[in-house]
Amino acid sequence: MIVVNDLCKSFDGRLVLDSITATFEKGKTNLIIGQSGSGKTVLLKCIVGLHEIDGGVIFYNDTRFDNLDFNQKKKIRQKIGMLFQGAALFDSATVEENVMFPLDMFTEMTHEEKLERVNFCLKRVNILNSNHLYPAEISGGMKKRVAIARAIALNPEFLFCDEPNSGLDPKTAVVIDQLIKEITEEYNITTIINTHDMNSVMGIGDKVIFIHQGKKWWEGSKDNILDSDNKELNEFVFSTELTRKIKGL
Amino acid sequence: MKLLSAIELFGEYILLLKKVFSKPEKRKVYYQQTLKEIEKLGLQSVGIVTIISVFMGAVITLQTAYNMENPFIPTYLIGLGTRDSMLLEFSSTVIGLILAGKVGSNIASEIGTMRVTEQIDALEIMGINSASYLILPKIVATVFFNPFLSILSMIVGITGGWLVGVFTGVVSTQEYLDGVQYAFIPFYITYALIKTVVFAFLITTISAFYGYRVQGGSLEVGRASTQAVVMSSIFILLFNLILTQLLLS
Ligand SMILES: Nc1ncnc2c1ncn2[C@@H]1O[C@H](COP(=O)(O)OP(=O)(O)OP(=O)(O)O)[C@@H](O)[C@H]1O
Ligand SMILES: [Mg+2]
């Protein structure tokens, strides 16, 4: 479980996150939704400590995270898997080496054991026969899937995904969403996903937090998001002509 | 204002070095990285160092020869002139400047690209000290390998002078070799190697610094790599002056 309390963050005097308080539950897919530029990525990066926060507290289970030093954070970070918006695979390493990297750094496994784990993770994300290709040689969707494989290589306790299915075709997008949900439930992971895709929300939104103008505007689940009477949320959810017609707006 | 930001920049540089020289996470991985960097930053510079040195040795020989109109000046001074130019300035300072262009821009753009594509964030998230992981192997590789490049440059340069001298008939082999051995001060080699090691450190750390602090996109990466080359070159010239005063006075 991850808890953030009163989290604030500004860049050069411009407030991007305004007092965000939220709880992200274990074994569930917690979604952060909001318009482009609303601060989703910044929120995620604050939670994992890539951005210094200006105020508030962050707890990983019972450990306060935000005031730890690098070495103490390191212990928690080894339990974190993260999928970046642009996949962030290491350009100079092959698919196999990318997924093996965390194992190289943090385990004492033999090469065979590592290889077995790598192949297991790659199979899990449906990447076959591409072990020796470089990131520049695979498609965008494949990059995301390899990045997921790398993120789960060490069996993380916390998984962060920044727009896991943006830029993918609808079918692959669903596959990736389902994959993340399955992994989350199977290994009882605390998963936080940034998205602005309503299909993802309706597919895997166990818990949904809507960010608007840097504030937490609404919180709920996929079951009650369609009949909320929050104006800004409705504008976000029913932003297309089709959905407006269905809702009768 | 300019001075203040220069001091700030220097402070940032020192802080980065502090991060770089903290205890390595996993020696084996660092060792492998260092070998890779020796190949990339060192072995791949052998060609350019050889070509430039052979031509410069040849040109210095011809220039010395054609400037000695006075028949009372002994011709063996040609060999001596080439030797001392190669040892004192060329093999360390000029090679240093050339490597600042080749290796410096390579380091800055590699690390800068990793920064803007979030690969550095990906390392940090795993709990890896990205500065140390990325930069330390490069420092070790260049500080260890550049002295060999410097020695190579001396040998090849003097050989180039000999070849062109004999070929054009401005000096005989015997006279040239006499000159090369005449009043030889072994400390000049030590002096050149000390300079080379310091320049290697400067090139690598300054370029890595500019790459590491890139913010933005590919445009900024390009700018950082230009800055890296310019600043490395300036500091090489500055330290050339300082070290010469310290070591030869
Ligand atoms: N490093 C930074 N420096 C300054 N401002 C930043 C920085 N990172 C983000 N911002 C600002 O913070 C705001 C929120 O950005 P963020 O990347 O979190 O949006 P987002 O919700 O993830 O959008 P998208 O869906 O397009 O990814 C933007 O206005 C952006 O300009
Ligand atoms: Mg984003």
Side-chain angles (χ1 to χ4, degrees):
Chain A
M1 191 172 73
I2 294 174
V3 178
V4 297
N5 238 323
D6 261 337
L7 192 149
C8 294
K9 172 74 189 171
S10 48
F11 289 106
D12 313 314
R14 199 165 55 89
L15 198 60
V16 174
L17 296 176
D18 186 1
S19 247
I20 305 268
T21 295
T23 302
F24 303 97
E25 286 163 38
K26 200 179 171 80
K28 287 193 175 167
T29 43
N30 301 274
L31 267 53
I32 300 172
I33 63 171
Q35 277 177 6
S36 177
S38 56
K40 303 184 294 294
T41 300
V42 173
L43 176 56
L44 214 57
K45 288 193 173 176
C46 284
I47 296 175
V48 295
L50 286 174
H51 286 319
E52 289 282 327
I53 57 175
D54 299 332
V57 286
I58 300 165
F59 283 96
Y60 279 71
N61 294 335
D62 297 323
T63 314
R64 182 162 170 196
F65 179 73
D66 53 282
N67 57 0
L68 299 179
D69 68 23
F70 184 83
N71 283 318
Q72 294 167 311
K73 276 189 179 146
K74 212 159 110 176
K75 291 210 182 65
I76 293 186
R77 284 189 168 166
Q78 283 163 24
K79 299 182 202 161
I80 293 180
M82 180 153 180
L83 171 62
F84 286 86
Q85 200 160 347
L89 294 178
F90 303 125
D91 291 326
S92 55
T94 61
V95 165
E96 182 177 294
E97 288 163 350
N98 261 288
V99 182
M100 200 179 280
F101 183 78
L103 303 174
D104 283 336
M105 290 306 279
F106 298 111
T107 70
E108 300 298 330
M109 293 175 164
T110 64
H111 187 74
E112 284 67 38
E113 287 167 337
K114 284 189 277 194
L115 203 59
E116 195 181 325
R117 177 72 191 157
V118 168
N119 286 326
F120 172 82
C121 294
L122 284 174
K123 195 160 166 233
R124 201 76 183 70
V125 295
N126 221 346
I127 298 275
L128 302 165
N129 305 321
S130 305
N131 283 33
H132 301 293
L133 297 179
Y134 283 88
E137 299 169 336
I138 59 178
S139 75
M142 286 168 81
K143 277 184 205 157
K144 293 235 158 148
R145 284 184 281 155
V146 173
I148 295 179
R150 184 177 69 183
I152 61 173
L154 282 176
N155 270 326
E157 213 176 299
F158 310 98
L159 183 62
F160 299 87
C161 304
D162 197 353
E163 313 219 356
N165 54 19
S166 68
L168 300 184
D169 66 277
K171 207 169 153 198
T172 313
V174 171
V175 171
I176 292 207
D177 280 348
Q178 287 307 325
L179 175 72
I180 294 171
K181 189 167 169 61
E182 270 170 42
I183 296 169
T184 301
E185 285 167 2
E186 199 174 322
Y187 302 109
N188 203 19
I189 304 172
T190 305
T191 301
I192 306 183
I193 303 170
N194 275 356
T195 182
H196 44 199
D197 179 7
M198 279 312 290
N199 291 318
S200 301
V201 175
M202 297 319 293
I204 59 170
D206 291 340
K207 172 159 188 173
V208 181
I209 288 168
F210 174 57
I211 305 279
H212 183 69
Q213 291 179 350
K215 293 194 179 64
K216 185 176 90 177
W217 213 259
W218 183 87
E219 176 175 350
S221 78
K222 64 178 179 188
D223 304 320
N224 50 22
I225 196 166
L226 291 183
D227 33 58
S228 141
D229 50 14
N230 188 305
K231 181 168 162 283
E232 285 76 16
L233 179 67
N234 279 337
E235 275 172 13
F236 177 81
V237 172
F238 302 103
S239 53
T240 63
E241 201 59 33
L242 178 69
T243 49
R244 273 176 211 279
K245 283 216 170 96
I246 296 171
K247 174 93 171 171
L249 283 172
Chain B
M1 200 53 216
K2 269 256 168 66
L3 182 71
L4 203 70
S5 60
I7 293 172
E8 238 174 61
L9 217 57
F10 183 70
E12 252 184 74
Y13 172 76
I14 297 297
L15 284 180
L16 180 68
L17 285 189
K18 208 177 131 216
K19 221 177 141 194
V20 168
F21 286 104
S22 51
K23 195 170 148 279
E25 266 107 22
K26 214 164 176 193
R27 275 170 196 287
K28 200 175 136 221
V29 178
Y30 273 67
Y31 176 70
Q32 286 166 348
Q33 285 299 108
T34 307
L35 290 184
K36 274 190 207 159
E37 300 295 352
I38 287 180
E39 131 115 88
K40 200 170 64 187
L41 305 176
L43 288 175
Q44 288 187 15
S45 303
V46 166
I48 190 166
V49 168
T50 308
I51 292 174
I52 292 174
S53 302
V54 82
F55 277 94
M56 285 309 288
V59 169
I60 291 170
T61 299
L62 290 183
Q63 285 176 350
T64 320
Y66 295 142
N67 279 307
M68 292 199 315
E69 308 260 278
N70 190 333
F72 293 108
I73 300 178
T75 11
Y76 66 75
L77 282 184
I78 297 174
L80 183 138
T82 307
R83 179 198 74 202
D84 280 354
S85 310
M86 290 308 295
L87 292 198
L88 286 173
E89 269 312 280
F90 192 85
S91 67
S92 49
T93 312
V94 178
I95 293 296
L97 290 172
I98 285 158
L99 291 179
K102 182 178 182 288
V103 172
S105 62
N106 174 305
I107 291 176
S109 56
E110 179 191 326
I111 295 184
T113 305
M114 292 189 75
R115 166 64 77 194
V116 300
T117 56
E118 297 179 314
Q119 292 174 51
I120 291 185
D121 287 344
L123 285 171
E124 289 284 325
I125 272 306
M126 292 176 195
I128 293 165
N129 178 342
S130 60
S132 166
Y133 174 78
L134 293 175
I135 303 173
L136 190 57
K138 293 188 201 297
I139 298 177
V140 175
T142 52
V143 164
F144 165 77
F145 197 81
N146 285 15
F148 290 103
L149 290 176
S150 178
I151 291 172
L152 174 77
S153 161
M154 294 172 193
I155 296 172
V156 172
I158 293 173
T159 312
W162 168 61
L163 287 177
V164 85
V166 172
F167 184 74
T168 56
V170 295
V171 62
S172 73
T173 300
Q174 191 52 48
E175 283 168 329
Y176 187 81
L177 290 182
D178 282 349
V180 167
Q181 287 160 10
Y182 183 76
F184 173 58
I185 302 173
F187 180 70
Y188 283 2
I189 294 187
T190 317
Y191 160 77
L193 293 184
I194 291 175
K195 288 205 295 182
T196 301
V197 166
V198 172
F199 297 163
F201 183 83
L202 288 173
I203 296 170
T204 313
T205 52
I206 292 175
S207 308
F209 170 69
Y210 277 101
Y212 198 78
R213 65 193 291 279
V214 170
Q215 274 179 352
S218 47
L219 216 61
E220 282 79 6
V221 174
R223 192 174 311 145
S225 112
T226 310
Q227 271 176 328
V229 175
V230 172
M231 292 312 276
S232 312
S233 304
I234 291 176
F235 276 92
I236 285 175
L237 295 174
L238 183 69
F239 272 78
N240 188 31
L241 192 69
I242 296 172
L243 288 174
T244 303
Q245 172 63 21
L246 286 179
L247 295 171
L248 292 190
S249 66

